[in-house]
Amino acid sequence: DLRAGDANARAAVARAALGAHCLGTALICAVVAHVEISTRLLGCGCVPFYWALVAADNDARTRSFVRWYVVAFFVVGPVAHCNFLPWT
């Protein structure tokens, strides 16, 4: 029973709901959206992507890669966008 306070059951329902949301969004984007819109929508609106980044934080090498990826995304992205270059 989800109302009884079973944390594992609530987490399972949340994972299933967010996974279904990402899958539905990906299917809709694959059919009707441009690649830039799809990457922005899926990158910003899908929580499991960020769960995967946090789960990859266990290894020092992976942590370094994720850190540099995020820094590069936030530095190169706006510069490329201001110069009318595709960056997503």
Side-chain angles (χ1 to χ4, degrees), residues 30-60:
V31 175
V32 299
H34 190 267
V35 173
E36 287 187 29
I37 296 170
S38 299
T39 55
R40 289 178 186 172
L41 185 62
L42 293 171
C44 293
C46 290
V47 177
F49 173 73
Y50 296 102
W51 284 347
L53 285 178
V54 170
D57 197 30
N58 294 334
D59 182 24

Side-chain angles (χ1 to χ4, degrees), residues 51-67:
W51 284 347
L53 285 178
V54 170
D57 197 30
N58 294 334
D59 182 24
R61 185 176 179 186
T62 307
R63 184 181 309 136
S64 176
F65 172 77
V66 169
R67 183 178 296 133

Side-chain angles (χ1 to χ4, degrees), residues 8 14 16-17 27-28 50 78-79 86:
N8 291 332
L27 290 174
I28 290 171
Y50 296 102
V79 172

